[in-house]
Amino acid sequence: MAELTMVEAIRTAMARAMADDPSVLVLGEDIGRDGGVFRATDGLLDRFGPDRVIDTPISEALFCGLAVGLGAQGFRPIVEFQFLGFLYPGLDQLINHASRLRNRTRGRLSCPTVVRSVWGGGIGAPEHHSEATEALMAHIPGLRVVLPSSPARAYGLLLAAIADPDPVVFLEPSRRYRSPREEVVDDGHPLPLDRCAVLRHGTDLTLVSWGATLGEVLEAADALAAEGVEAEVIDVSTVKPIDTGTILASVERTGRAVIVHEAARAGGIGAEIAAVLADEGLTSLLAPVARVTGYDTVIPLARLEHAYLPDVERILGAARRTMEYS
Amino acid sequence: MAELTMVEAIRTAMARAMADDPSVLVLGEDIGRDGGVFRATDGLLDRFGPDRVIDTPISEALFCGLAVGLGAQGFRPIVEFQFLGFLYPGLDQLINHASRLRNRTRGRLSCPTVVRSVWGGGIGAPEHHSEATEALMAHIPGLRVVLPSSPARAYGLLLAAIADPDPVVFLEPSRRYRSPREEVVDDGHPLPLDRCAVLRHGTDLTLVSWGATLGEVLEAADALAAEGVEAEVIDVSTVKPIDTGTILASVERTGRAVIVHEAARAGGIGAEIAAVLADEGLTSLLAPVARVTGYDTVIPLARLEHAYLPDVERILGAARRTMEYS
Amino acid sequence: MGSDRVVARFEIHSTRYLEPDGTPIEPLPAWSDDRDTLVDLYRAMVRTRTFDARAVALQRTGQLGTFASSLGQEAVAVGLGAAMQPEDVLVPSFREQGAQLWRGVTMTELLLYWGGDERGSDFAGPREDFPISVPVGSHASHAAGIAMAFQLRGEPRVAVCVVGDGATSKGDVYEALNFAGVRRLPMVLVVNDNQWAISVPRAVQTAATTLAQKAVAAGVPGEQVDGNDVIAVRTQVALAIERARSGEGPAVIEAVTYRLTDHTTSDDASRYRPPEEVTERWAHEPVVRLRSLLVARGWWGKDDEEGLTADCRADVEAAVDAYLHTPALPATSMFDHLHAELPAALAGQRAELEAAVARTDASAEGGHG
Amino acid sequence: MGSDRVVARFEIHSTRYLEPDGTPIEPLPAWSDDRDTLVDLYRAMVRTRTFDARAVALQRTGQLGTFASSLGQEAVAVGLGAAMQPEDVLVPSFREQGAQLWRGVTMTELLLYWGGDERGSDFAGPREDFPISVPVGSHASHAAGIAMAFQLRGEPRVAVCVVGDGATSKGDVYEALNFAGVRRLPMVLVVNDNQWAISVPRAVQTAATTLAQKAVAAGVPGEQVDGNDVIAVRTQVALAIERARSGEGPAVIEAVTYRLTDHTTSDDASRYRPPEEVTERWAHEPVVRLRSLLVARGWWGKDDEEGLTADCRADVEAAVDAYLHTPALPATSMFDHLHAELPAALAGQRAELEAAVARTDASAEGGHG
Ligand SMILES: Cc1ncc(C[n+]2csc(CCOP(=O)(O)OP(=O)(O)O)c2C)c(N)n1
Ligand SMILES: Cc1ncc(C[n+]2csc(CCOP(=O)(O)OP(=O)(O)O)c2C)c(N)n1
Ligand SMILES: [Mg+2]
Ligand SMILES: [Mg+2]
């Protein structure tokens, strides 16, 4: 057992999967000798050799297409994108091919790939390095989209994603890469996909989030507890398809929901969750479903990104308004 | 005045804009001599010449990038995509550049382009020709996304899109291209962007939709009227940003809403509208907000596409359940 | 001025064995001395042409969706199909039925696909071959991935990707080829250069003199063949495939041919290209060219031709019959192949669909559908 | 066998005027006989190097974000900047500060950009120049669009796009170049070939012998220059620009140079490349090379050098000072440049942000921020 950072947990999961299954490969830019710009693949080249840890040219559309060909041939390629802002040229392959190959061929061919990408803002990185556009992939039938919120969850979810026989987009919040640490047992046990995790139990209010913002959400839940409000905190984890059952059951008990995400509001995953509440959860709702999100603007460069990202204050504001509503 | 089909109305609007403003160009595949695969640009080459009606190589990522360069130089390029399934390689340029150029340069440079694409299913076309992925573009800050529902609305909205100083994605439902016809006055008058149109007034139920499915929605409204239910029918028209005021005001009166769209359900525009209702409209709601949509599957090839697309029966079913709810 | 050195030099070669009238340009390759081999190629080309014509007719009568005929281009598809080994993998565009049929995809499967039924891509024959790729050029990277799989496993197999002249304008094709060059992948890219991409002529796609020289950018060999000369296509593609198989890396072969008919059944080529051009090109088409050689060699006669015509018709009609009598797909099949297992979150939607279908069926039976 | 014709032939040339030690390879171009012209180039290279070093230092002390130094590559940026006319448009990647500064972008603007402030891309000088492009290669099509605008308006102007060696692997660059070839656009693509794309060496990007030959795929001329020889860069880029200006179409110029330092301040190049390689390359760097020529011609001395050092320091410090004292951006500015006019639907969100900022400010003032 060890206290690992998230990036270490991710590396540990990849190493474990590669050791257990020779069909697992890693592809991407600077993932070989350099070990990835965030060091997620550090050491893998030495351990598994250049046939399994493959530096690619700067050809993002290509990566996703390679994964389709490799996947159809029985490999399980893990494709790393340095930042989500550089994945967009690969969307065509994800939408038109990776997500459809199984359906198109009635199961004759399939695409068991994991597309990993650094996700989100908060580290003062340059332009295009702070994208939180998980909703784009989540709208695509046939793609799973997973966002881990902690080292242990990253480890287990990534193992599950690699083992999954279909394409999974795995988005890793860079601002949680190095801290906090968490105990991670490298036992090869996956965590279930398509399932929410309840990070904190509560009866007064349901806070729903995923990925990096759960840090702020848990902090807000602590602050609320000090005010006498017991918030349940749900980590959606797989944002497509969403385990709506867990969320509905929670809101049935609390009657109040605040959804928090870093992405722009319009058409974010928060909308889908709120829509499910407005349909299947309507009778439970004692207050409007609030969303605390990034704004529908381009995320600013480093100097103002803090003003864009949902912070504890904004979450608390929404939570208090939701609690006060009657 | 003339009864035009939607594709004729679109052609008329482009010709009008090109005649009025020499900075308007049309770019795309087969739009010159061939007049476009749906003939939307038929005759424009002869009338405006090869410097303004430009056949491009098959390089979809390029088109959107050309529009950025041309737009920054003061042109107003209209870029045609033959089918939405072929636009995806251009998403990178739309997301990373077209939508951001103004913000990135604090207004020094901008991108007044219209990206037109054939949209949606229902004509038995081959694979990738029936995409309804407006939600992808609608999630991108800085992009406007417009879907016309009739010839006259297509004419006015396209003129407005061309006149708009920023990028607009204009999605044209192929199954409404040739019918029905509608009177269109070629007077150069744009219709307002960012505004819903109320196509039918009613007090019992609000039906919300856009683009092609409004055909089925209006039919369903007729059937409901025969059952004594007066449905209000709202054509969202601009799905980003959404005129939520009109929708909220309607639901405040009716208390009941059914949202209909052709796109896959999860993360579709219907989710955003339902989310706004679950927040700002919650107190008005007398029944769960229903969504009648495409399924979260790949739209089937021609033989089964009818089973995928929302039809009058499904809309009626949801409307009746919504009316019966108490 | 200063120092001006030449740091790289390239040549693009073009190969032809048969003149347009079928006259051989000696010496022919040894393999073409075998009657049966040449006759098989001829049969396959005629069979493809018969199939195409019937498919177009089916579309015209509302029994098939949009269809892309390969009229005039049969030598490219059949030649490359014949150059491959069964264990190689074909990654075709949408106009390579000649190669697909050669490799064992059935006519019924092709009709199902163009008829709007996903089962048409579940090939019973070449199980690893890729289905038709509609998004132009997007499959080049699939071929690179497949070739990479072969290379990683040390298997002596080759991925053969076919794209059109128009597709060479796509960044996808360039990226895949460039990567294949870096890793010396066992991949052959055949450019089926039929001069048109719908209404856009070759010269509007690129200023490059040849499409073979697209290879130069990737540091890969490229060459041209006369794509209406099935002997040239088969010879040069087979050479490239065998080089790739033996570890010498990828290659590009531009097969220069001509699309003698509309782009697809949705197209009307008379809108954009002069009929004289098409008439002129008929003099170069590949089927008569090869037949002339067969006839000149005394290997083919009127009876053979009649027999072949009858065989092809019978084959095609049997396939059409099987196509038209294929039982309907259940609507719920759209859920059943999306993932290996239906995610729990989708069970509700699948049930919704079942209910909707049941309602429609009931109302259809009730006679007010 | 059969007929085998050569249908296309290409040669890639490489030009150099100065040996690594500064010895001229006669004859030099006439323009380089002018002291002031050469000294201006030298000053610009030193100024760029001074700026880069200071920017890195700012980053190390937490006063700047990630920064990409151009150490060792100054001759490419300055040479191409000097080859352009003011009315031309520069479409740079993120390592062309030498060209940007030459064209009138201010050091303060560059610092604002890398410091995370959008106002850094609102150049007061070259108003039509494009901002830095971070997504590798994605700006090539912008240059094509700009060149198309010039062509359509009949303006004798040229769009100059700069990309790295790594960027040549992107389909975007290929598509833009191919299109530029088709329409003979007034566009010059300079490939700043510094041998590395972060940790990936040139040989892993492509099997092509030269990057100049990427042009062959587009049917466009391509050539190499010694990118550490500012005379070669300026001469050859200017020739290409003037050809483009006079309607002769686009060209590719590969400037072969070397990245002497880390990729950016976030990178540690010692992880992936041997220090000996870097040491060896210092012998080829461009600043000393040009100075050697100036000194040999008696055009430059110790005093000049000291004066220049002092000037550059003063310039840079003034810019740093202006940067550090630039008043904060209001948070609401993220809404104010998104569209020409704020859509009504976003007014609510803007108000939310204002309220959030007011809350934060208030709590900061209240001392519990
Ligand atoms: C990415 C993409 N863009 C556009 C289309 C529409 N389209 C279908 S075929 C075609 C022309 C293809 O030309 P070419 O590559 O020469 O192949 P050919 O049809 O001549 O066999 C086009 C533009 C498409 N299928 N995919
Ligand atoms: C599309 C894209 N992919 C990845 C990155 C991350 N990245 C930034 S610079 C770089 C290497 C660029 O190499 P090259 O083109 O040679 O330019 P250089 O940095 O050497 O100047 C990479 C991979 C990016 N910015 N954009
Ligand atoms: Mg073609
Ligand atoms: Mg480089």
Side-chain angles (χ1 to χ4, degrees), chain A residues 29-30 37 58-60 82-83 85-87 89 129, chain B residues 92, chain D residues 68 73 93-96 133-138 163-168 170 192-198 200 205 259 263-264:
Chain A
E29 291 157 7
D30 304 293
V37 287
I58 307 179
S59 309
E60 282 84 1
Q82 294 192 334
F83 292 94
F86 309 140
L87 179 145
H129 289 61
Chain B
D92 179 45
Chain D
Q73 305 176 225
S93 71
F94 44 80
R95 208 187 291 283
E96 304 310 323
S133 175
V134 169
V136 163
S138 63
V163 301
D165 45 318
T168 64
K170 288 285 295 183
N192 193 330
D193 176 10
N194 66 3
Q195 311 307 317
W196 290 89
I198 311 187
V200 177
Q205 291 296 336
R259 196 190 81 210
H263 168 70
T264 63

Side-chain angles (χ1 to χ4, degrees), chain A residues 104 127 139 266-267 283 325, chain B residues 96 104 127 139 266 272 283 325:
Chain A
R104 172 177 298 148
E127 217 174 341
H139 188 49
T283 48
Y325 187 91
Chain B
N96 276 333
R104 173 176 298 148
E127 218 176 340
H139 188 50
E272 179 59 30
T283 48
Y325 188 90

Side-chain angles (χ1 to χ4, degrees), chain D residues 56-199:
Chain D
V56 170
L58 281 171
Q59 191 280 336
R60 298 290 184 230
T61 53
Q63 293 166 290
L64 196 73
T66 302
F67 179 77
S69 166
S70 64
L71 184 68
Q73 305 176 225
E74 297 86 353
V76 179
V78 168
L80 76 91
M84 295 175 69
Q85 296 301 319
E87 67 272 20
D88 296 336
V89 164
L90 178 67
V91 186
S93 71
F94 44 80
R95 208 187 291 283
E96 304 310 323
Q97 46 269 30
Q100 293 183 296
L101 292 172
W102 182 280
R103 288 181 56 73
V105 175
T106 68
M107 291 183 187
T108 305
E109 285 164 352
L110 291 174
L111 291 171
L112 280 168
Y113 177 78
W114 293 108
D117 186 323
E118 284 81 358
R119 289 172 295 186
S121 293
D122 185 13
F123 309 148
R127 295 291 290 169
E128 294 175 57
D129 277 13
F130 255 52
I132 280 169
S133 175
V134 169
V136 163
S138 63
H139 52 302
S141 54
H142 308 164
I146 294 164
M148 201 170 156
F150 296 159
Q151 187 182 63
L152 290 171
R153 287 196 296 250
E155 293 172 356
R157 302 168 68 189
V158 180
V160 177
C161 181
V162 193
V163 301
D165 45 318
T168 64
S169 300
K170 288 285 295 183
D172 306 58
V173 175
Y174 166 72
E175 289 190 0
L177 196 62
N178 186 57
F179 182 72
V182 171
R183 297 190 68 88
R184 296 176 71 79
L185 296 180
M187 163 171 153
V188 172
L189 180 75
V190 178
V191 180
N192 193 330
D193 176 10
N194 66 3
Q195 311 307 317
W196 290 89
I198 311 187
S199 73

Side-chain angles (χ1 to χ4, degrees), chain B residues 63-249:
Chain B
F63 303 173
C64 296
L66 285 178
V68 170
L70 284 163
Q73 280 290 321
F75 281 95
R76 290 182 178 261
I78 303 174
V79 180
E80 174 174 312
F81 283 88
Q82 294 191 337
F83 292 94
L84 191 48
F86 308 140
L87 178 144
Y88 303 138
L91 283 176
D92 179 45
Q93 287 291 335
L94 293 182
I95 301 174
N96 276 333
H97 292 297
S99 69
R100 299 188 187 191
L101 189 61
R102 178 186 294 280
N103 183 66
R104 173 176 298 148
T105 62
R106 304 282 97 168
R108 179 170 65 88
L109 301 173
S110 62
C111 185
T113 189
V114 177
V115 172
R116 289 179 45 238
S117 177
V118 174
W119 172 99
I123 59 167
E127 218 176 340
H128 306 279
H129 289 61
S130 307
E131 307 280 297
T133 37
E134 65 273 17
L136 302 184
M137 272 86 59
H139 188 50
I140 303 306
L143 289 185
R144 271 196 169 74
V145 183
V146 176
L147 282 105
S149 60
S150 79
R153 294 194 57 73
Y155 175 84
L157 290 170
L158 183 51
L159 281 180
I162 298 170
D164 192 85
D166 289 301
V168 178
V169 178
F170 194 84
L171 301 174
E172 305 167 2
S174 55
R175 71 191 162 99
R176 302 282 175 230
Y177 258 169
R178 304 262 156 83
S179 101
R181 292 180 172 269
E182 188 181 29
E183 204 132 307
V184 176
V185 191
D186 181 15
D187 56 5
H189 278 318
L191 285 170
L193 301 178
D194 303 359
R195 216 67 83 62
C196 294
V198 180
L199 301 188
R200 177 185 177 119
H201 291 276
T203 47
D204 301 331
L205 171 69
T206 304
L207 298 175
V208 183
S209 193
W210 52 91
T213 38
L214 279 162
E216 287 76 25
V217 168
L218 287 167
E219 226 182 284
D222 283 344
L224 288 168
E227 297 172 15
V229 173
E230 286 305 326
E232 180 137 307
V233 175
I234 294 182
D235 175 357
V236 179
S237 306
T238 299
V239 299
K240 172 70 175 291
I242 300 175
D243 164 15
T244 54
T246 299
I247 300 170
L248 285 164

Side-chain angles (χ1 to χ4, degrees), chain C residues 202-216:
Chain C
R202 177 55 193 72
V204 176
Q205 291 296 336
T206 185
T209 322
T210 68
L211 300 180
Q213 79 202 52
K214 302 280 173 183
V216 172

Side-chain angles (χ1 to χ4, degrees), chain C residues 12-329:
Chain C
I12 305 293
H13 291 246
S14 178
T15 305
R16 167 188 287 179
Y17 288 101
L18 298 181
E19 298 287 6
D21 67 359
T23 312
I25 302 168
E26 302 291 353
L28 294 193
W31 67 264
S32 66
D33 292 343
D34 181 50
R35 175 190 183 274
D36 289 354
T37 305
L38 278 196
V39 164
D40 279 353
L41 293 173
Y42 180 69
R43 288 178 160 279
M45 291 199 288
V46 173
R47 196 158 168 263
T48 302
R49 191 169 284 189
T50 312
F51 172 76
D52 279 353
R54 187 69 177 92
V56 170
L58 281 171
Q59 191 279 335
R60 298 290 184 229
T61 53
Q63 293 166 290
L64 196 73
T66 302
F67 179 78
S69 165
S70 64
L71 183 68
Q73 305 177 225
E74 296 87 351
V76 179
V78 168
L80 76 91
M84 294 174 70
Q85 296 301 319
E87 67 271 22
D88 296 335
V89 164
L90 178 67
V91 186
S93 70
F94 44 81
R95 207 188 292 282
E96 304 309 323
Q97 46 268 31
Q100 293 183 296
L101 292 171
W102 182 280
R103 289 182 55 74
V105 175
T106 68
M107 291 182 188
T108 305
E109 286 164 350
L110 291 175
L111 292 171
L112 281 168
Y113 177 77
W114 292 109
D117 186 323
E118 285 81 359
R119 289 171 297 186
S121 294
D122 185 13
F123 310 148
R127 296 290 290 168
E128 294 176 55
D129 277 14
F130 256 52
I132 280 169
S133 174
V134 169
V136 163
S138 63
H139 52 302
S141 55
H142 309 164
I146 294 164
M148 202 170 155
F150 297 158
Q151 187 182 63
L152 290 172
R153 287 195 298 249
E155 292 172 358
R157 303 168 68 188
V158 179
V160 178
C161 181
V162 193
V163 302
D165 45 316
T168 64
S169 301
K170 288 285 293 183
D172 306 58
V173 175
Y174 166 73
E175 289 189 359
L177 196 62
N178 186 57
F179 182 71
V182 170
R183 296 191 69 88
R184 295 177 70 80
L185 296 180
M187 163 171 153
V188 172
L189 180 76
V190 178
V191 180
N192 194 329
D193 176 12
N194 66 2
Q195 311 308 316
W196 290 90
I198 311 186
S199 73
V200 177
R202 177 55 193 72
V204 176
Q205 291 296 336
T206 185
T209 322
T210 68
L211 300 180
Q213 79 202 52
K214 302 280 173 183
V216 172
V220 157
E223 58 176 301
Q224 253 186 7
V225 297
D226 183 332
N228 291 343
D229 172 355
V230 74
I231 299 183
V233 175
R234 186 188 188 279
T235 304
Q236 298 306 103
V237 175
L239 278 173
I241 288 177
E242 296 317 318
R243 277 197 309 265
R245 194 186 311 286
S246 65
E248 290 176 56
V252 175
I253 306 226
E254 175 192 8
V256 183
T257 179
Y258 191 81
R259 197 190 81 210
L260 285 171
T261 184
D262 295 333
H263 168 69
T264 65
T265 50
S266 306
D267 178 51
D268 172 7
S270 71
R271 288 178 64 88
Y272 53 77
R273 67 181 186 185
E276 313 82 65
E277 176 179 312
V278 182
T279 312
E280 195 274 320
R281 292 299 189 128
W282 267 103
H284 298 256
E285 70 86 24
V287 172
V288 169
R289 189 183 301 202
L290 180 58
R291 185 167 63 216
S292 304
L293 178 72
L294 293 177
V295 170
R297 287 188 172 173
W299 289 350
W300 196 254
K302 198 159 162 285
D303 290 355
D304 298 305
E305 188 69 21
E306 280 168 8
L308 176 60
T309 306
D311 287 357
C312 289
R313 284 219 185 111
D315 272 17
V316 169
E317 288 316 316
V320 170
D321 202 57
Y323 160 65
L324 294 174
H325 290 91
T326 302
L329 259 177

